[in-house]
Amino acid sequence: MIRNQKFLKVIRLTLTYIFLLIMVCVTVYPILWLIGASFNTGDSLYSSTMFPKNPTLDHYRELMNNPDYPFYRWYWNTIKVAAMTAILGLVLCSLTAYAYSRFRFPGRKYGLMTMLVIQMFPSFMNMVALYVLLNMAGLLDSHLGLVLVYAGTSIPFNTWILKGYFDTIPKSLEEAALIDGASRSTIFWRIMIPLSAPVLAVITIFHFVIPFGDFILARLLLTSVNKYTLTVGLFTLISNNFGKNWTTFTAGALLMAIPIVILYLSLQKYFISGLTKGATKG
């Protein structure tokens, strides 16, 4: 009996490691292939290999020096939009989540349910409405309009995460501060925000990554080449009917990942704890 239990334990452990190994391969293989393709000669994907025979930096030089591709401008636009989205989204979500967590007002329950229901609909449904609204506000083809859309559409999901985390902070801390004469704004900025650093780091990452990964909204709302973000700008490399520069595209995609990797590594210690603690209460 004991031998059978040990045998089953070994089988389960072996299957677990095999599954993890497959997941690692599935995750790492595209990254290695992307790195290899960016150093291959030529422009085609079909002739590219993971380990190029004659590695070259020509594609990186072309991105940096070709006047047809304002790569630096696209990079700056993306970082600017991402940073503005992160700051604005963080402020909006923090204030909204704090209100739902600490105050009781008419419509609170229905407001939370509405935000939950909104998440069930795909974002494509509101694209036309967003386009019309930004056109009426004169914010089409502007980074401010794009930031407002990114920050606004992320409020429901991130508010739920933040509210769950705020609910875990004891109310006795705020009550003690109120007795000492602290105002609600003082409590929010000096007690709630510092204690919520892990989940705020998670929300910052979510907001910052959106402009780096979104193509459809940026392509819809931005029309000037000099205002493109990286996803839209790099797409022009492979959308030309007379030549698709796939290898230069892979070089650009690799460079695009650098800020996200740096941000993840710098906030890594907060990431797991912020996600798990924010999910403990609804």
Side-chain angles (χ1 to χ4, degrees):
M1 185 66 180
I2 295 176
R3 291 184 62 182
N4 287 337
Q5 289 180 347
K6 287 184 177 179
F7 179 73
L8 290 174
K9 185 178 179 181
V10 171
I11 293 294
R12 282 198 295 267
L13 193 61
T14 304
L15 291 175
T16 302
Y17 277 114
I18 292 174
F19 177 77
L20 291 175
L21 184 62
I22 292 173
M23 290 298 103
V24 169
C25 292
V26 170
T27 306
V28 173
Y29 176 78
I31 299 172
L32 293 178
W33 194 92
L34 182 74
I35 295 172
S38 69
F39 291 103
N40 272 276
T41 55
D43 298 330
S44 173
L45 278 182
Y46 297 104
S47 59
S48 298
T49 58
M50 186 183 296
F51 304 102
K53 294 179 181 177
N54 300 304
T56 177
L57 292 174
D58 287 348
H59 307 305
Y60 292 93
R61 294 192 189 97
E62 185 177 2
L63 272 179
M64 307 294 179
N65 302 320
N66 192 331
D68 295 332
Y69 310 135
F71 185 72
Y72 292 116
R73 171 64 63 181
W74 296 340
Y75 215 111
W76 166 245
N77 290 343
T78 308
I79 290 177
K80 182 176 71 174
V81 171
M84 290 171 65
T85 302
I87 294 171
L88 181 62
L90 200 59
V91 172
L92 292 176
C93 292
S94 301
L95 293 172
T96 308
Y98 182 69
Y100 277 113
S101 175
R102 288 298 190 261
F103 300 109
R104 298 295 180 266
F105 49 87
R108 174 180 173 275
K109 180 181 177 182
Y110 296 109
L112 285 170
M113 291 304 298
T114 301
M115 286 196 291
L116 194 63
V117 171
I118 288 174
Q119 295 302 305
M120 300 177 185
F121 298 99
S123 58
F124 297 101
M125 289 180 62
N126 58 8
M127 291 181 69
V128 176
L130 290 173
Y131 186 90
V132 173
L133 281 173
L134 291 182
N135 187 35
M136 292 171 63
L139 293 175
L140 274 183
D141 196 27
S142 73
H143 293 150
L144 177 60
L146 197 61
V147 169
L148 291 176
V149 170
Y150 286 150
T153 53
S154 66
I155 287 177
F157 175 73
N158 291 323
T159 294
W160 268 95
I161 295 178
L162 266 172
K163 177 191 173 298
Y165 195 93
F166 285 160
D167 288 345
T168 64
I169 298 175
K171 292 182 180 178
S172 57
L173 293 175
E174 295 175 70
E175 291 167 356
L178 284 171
I179 292 173
D180 290 340
S183 64
R184 278 290 179 185
S185 60
T186 302
I187 293 171
F188 177 74
W189 292 111
R190 296 194 177 183
I191 296 178
M192 299 297 287
I193 293 298
L195 290 176
S196 307
V199 75
L200 293 178
V202 174
I203 301 301
T204 302
I205 291 175
F206 285 167
H207 281 104
F208 191 84
V209 170
I210 290 174
F212 281 88
D214 176 66
F215 170 78
I216 296 177
L217 271 175
R219 184 68 185 89
L220 177 71
L221 303 178
L222 300 176
T223 54
S224 302
V225 175
N226 282 332
K227 292 184 179 177
Y228 282 175
T229 55
L230 275 171
T231 50
V232 183
L234 291 177
F235 180 71
T236 60
L237 300 177
I238 56 174
S239 59
N240 192 336
N241 292 328
F242 303 101
K244 300 184 187 304
N245 203 340
W246 283 102
T247 45
T248 307
F249 175 84
T250 58
L254 197 62
L255 293 174
M256 187 172 73
I258 293 175
I260 301 173
V261 172
I262 293 174
L263 187 66
Y264 265 97
L265 292 177
S266 59
L267 299 178
Q268 185 184 13
K269 63 180 180 179
Y270 299 116
F271 194 68
I272 301 299
S273 61
L275 278 177
T276 53
K277 288 182 181 178
T280 53
K281 286 186 178 181

